[in-house]
Amino acid sequence: MSWTDDRVDVLKKMWGEGQSASQIAKELGGVTRNAVIGKVHRLGLSNRAGSGGASKPAAPKADAKPKAPAKPKAAPPKANELVEIQEPRTESASPPPQPKVPHARRQIIPAGQPLPPQPSANEISPEALRKVNEVEKTAKKISLMELTEKTCKWPVGDPATEQFWFCGLDVKQGKPYCEAHVGVAFQPMSSRRDRRR
DNA sequence: CCCTGATTCGC
DNA sequence: GCGAATCAGG
C-alpha cells in the first residue's frame, strides 16, 4: 500500500480529530500504526496542530487536554441567542425515577467461600470506592458465560440470588477487572519499578 | 500485559 | 519516502 492522496487525506483528517495512530492504521488498512506515525512526522504534523501553518515550536506549556470535540462541520449560528435555562423542576412533578435495583448492600456477606476480593476493613481510597459504586450503576451486568478476557470479572451481588452479575466493562488492560474495580481489587503491590529492557 | 507517540536508520 | 524496530512513557 502506498500513500495515495486520499489515504493521506484520511490520515490528516483522523489525526486532526485526535484519533490514535493505531486507529488510523486500522481504518486505512494495509499499514501499521508505525507507518502512520512515520507519515505523520514526515508530513510535519506531529504536533496535533498541523492546520494553519505557522509551525510554532509550541509553548513550553505542554498541556495536552483531553482533545476538544472540534466538530466544525456546521457553522455555529451566532448572534442573538437566548440561553434559556430550563428549570428542571417546573410543574411536572414526575415521581422520582427509581431505577434503583434491589441491590442493597448488606454489611454481612452471606457467602461462605471464596467470595471475591470484596473490600473488607482494608483501607481503600474513598475515591476508588466512590468510583466503584458509580461503576456498578453503569456496569453491563453480564452473566458468567458472557465473560471474556476483556470484560471486567468483578462480581456484584450474591451468587445465590438473582441480583448477581459481573461488571462486564472493559478491563484495564491485562487486569481481570475494569479500571474502577482494579482500584479496589489490588491497591497494594509495590509500585512498578523501572522496567529496563 | 495493553497502548501511546517519537525516533532511528536500512532500504 | 517508507516503515519496522526501538525507545520512552502511561
Side-chain angles (χ1 to χ4, degrees), chain A residues 2 37 47 87 147:
Chain A
S2 59
I37 292 175
N47 184 336
E87 183 60 27
L147 288 175

mmCIF file with all atom_site columns, all heavy atoms in Angstrom, chain A residues 2 37 47 87 147:
data_model
loop_
_atom_site.group_PDB
_atom_site.id
_atom_site.type_symbol
_atom_site.label_atom_id
_atom_site.label_alt_id
_atom_site.label_comp_id
_atom_site.label_asym_id
_atom_site.label_entity_id
_atom_site.label_seq_id
_atom_site.pdbx_PDB_ins_code
_atom_site.Cartn_x
_atom_site.Cartn_y
_atom_site.Cartn_z
_atom_site.occupancy
_atom_site.B_iso_or_equiv
_atom_site.pdbx_formal_charge
_atom_site.auth_seq_id
_atom_site.auth_comp_id
_atom_site.auth_asym_id
_atom_site.auth_atom_id
_atom_site.pdbx_PDB_model_num
ATOM 1  N N   . SER A 1 2   ? 0.435   2.208   -0.697 1.00 0.00 ? 2   SER A N   1
ATOM 2  C CA  . SER A 1 2   ? 1.215   3.448   -0.722 1.00 0.00 ? 2   SER A CA  1
ATOM 3  C C   . SER A 1 2   ? 0.342   4.606   -0.262 1.00 0.00 ? 2   SER A C   1
ATOM 4  O O   . SER A 1 2   ? -0.878  4.476   -0.160 1.00 0.00 ? 2   SER A O   1
ATOM 5  C CB  . SER A 1 2   ? 1.711   3.710   -2.139 1.00 0.00 ? 2   SER A CB  1
ATOM 6  O OG  . SER A 1 2   ? 0.614   3.805   -3.022 1.00 0.00 ? 2   SER A OG  1
ATOM 7  N N   . ILE A 1 37  ? 2.439   6.791   11.979 1.00 0.00 ? 37  ILE A N   1
ATOM 8  C CA  . ILE A 1 37  ? 3.206   7.766   12.744 1.00 0.00 ? 37  ILE A CA  1
ATOM 9  C C   . ILE A 1 37  ? 4.352   8.317   11.915 1.00 0.00 ? 37  ILE A C   1
ATOM 10 O O   . ILE A 1 37  ? 4.626   9.514   11.902 1.00 0.00 ? 37  ILE A O   1
ATOM 11 C CB  . ILE A 1 37  ? 3.757   7.123   14.041 1.00 0.00 ? 37  ILE A CB  1
ATOM 12 C CG1 . ILE A 1 37  ? 2.600   6.808   14.967 1.00 0.00 ? 37  ILE A CG1 1
ATOM 13 C CG2 . ILE A 1 37  ? 4.752   8.042   14.703 1.00 0.00 ? 37  ILE A CG2 1
ATOM 14 C CD1 . ILE A 1 37  ? 2.994   6.072   16.224 1.00 0.00 ? 37  ILE A CD1 1
ATOM 15 N N   . ASN A 1 47  ? 2.820   17.509  15.814 1.00 0.00 ? 47  ASN A N   1
ATOM 16 C CA  . ASN A 1 47  ? 2.089   18.243  16.835 1.00 0.00 ? 47  ASN A CA  1
ATOM 17 C C   . ASN A 1 47  ? 0.652   18.366  16.368 1.00 0.00 ? 47  ASN A C   1
ATOM 18 O O   . ASN A 1 47  ? 0.383   18.970  15.359 1.00 0.00 ? 47  ASN A O   1
ATOM 19 C CB  . ASN A 1 47  ? 2.695   19.631  17.032 1.00 0.00 ? 47  ASN A CB  1
ATOM 20 C CG  . ASN A 1 47  ? 2.003   20.370  18.152 1.00 0.00 ? 47  ASN A CG  1
ATOM 21 O OD1 . ASN A 1 47  ? 0.860   20.074  18.473 1.00 0.00 ? 47  ASN A OD1 1
ATOM 22 N ND2 . ASN A 1 47  ? 2.672   21.312  18.736 1.00 0.00 ? 47  ASN A ND2 1
ATOM 23 N N   . GLU A 1 87  ? -35.543 25.204  33.718 1.00 0.00 ? 87  GLU A N   1
ATOM 24 C CA  . GLU A 1 87  ? -35.628 24.811  35.124 1.00 0.00 ? 87  GLU A CA  1
ATOM 25 C C   . GLU A 1 87  ? -36.170 23.388  35.202 1.00 0.00 ? 87  GLU A C   1
ATOM 26 O O   . GLU A 1 87  ? -37.299 23.127  34.818 1.00 0.00 ? 87  GLU A O   1
ATOM 27 C CB  . GLU A 1 87  ? -36.578 25.775  35.863 1.00 0.00 ? 87  GLU A CB  1
ATOM 28 C CG  . GLU A 1 87  ? -36.667 25.500  37.343 1.00 0.00 ? 87  GLU A CG  1
ATOM 29 C CD  . GLU A 1 87  ? -35.331 25.615  38.048 1.00 0.00 ? 87  GLU A CD  1
ATOM 30 O OE1 . GLU A 1 87  ? -34.456 26.365  37.559 1.00 0.00 ? 87  GLU A OE1 1
ATOM 31 O OE2 . GLU A 1 87  ? -35.166 24.980  39.068 1.00 0.00 ? 87  GLU A OE2 1
ATOM 32 N N   . LEU A 1 147 ? -18.537 -13.637 30.107 1.00 0.00 ? 147 LEU A N   1
ATOM 33 C CA  . LEU A 1 147 ? -17.215 -13.144 30.465 1.00 0.00 ? 147 LEU A CA  1
ATOM 34 C C   . LEU A 1 147 ? -16.194 -13.504 29.389 1.00 0.00 ? 147 LEU A C   1
ATOM 35 O O   . LEU A 1 147 ? -16.190 -14.607 28.862 1.00 0.00 ? 147 LEU A O   1
ATOM 36 C CB  . LEU A 1 147 ? -16.773 -13.760 31.795 1.00 0.00 ? 147 LEU A CB  1
ATOM 37 C CG  . LEU A 1 147 ? -17.485 -13.250 33.035 1.00 0.00 ? 147 LEU A CG  1
ATOM 38 C CD1 . LEU A 1 147 ? -17.033 -14.028 34.247 1.00 0.00 ? 147 LEU A CD1 1
ATOM 39 C CD2 . LEU A 1 147 ? -17.219 -11.772 33.235 1.00 0.00 ? 147 LEU A CD2 1
#
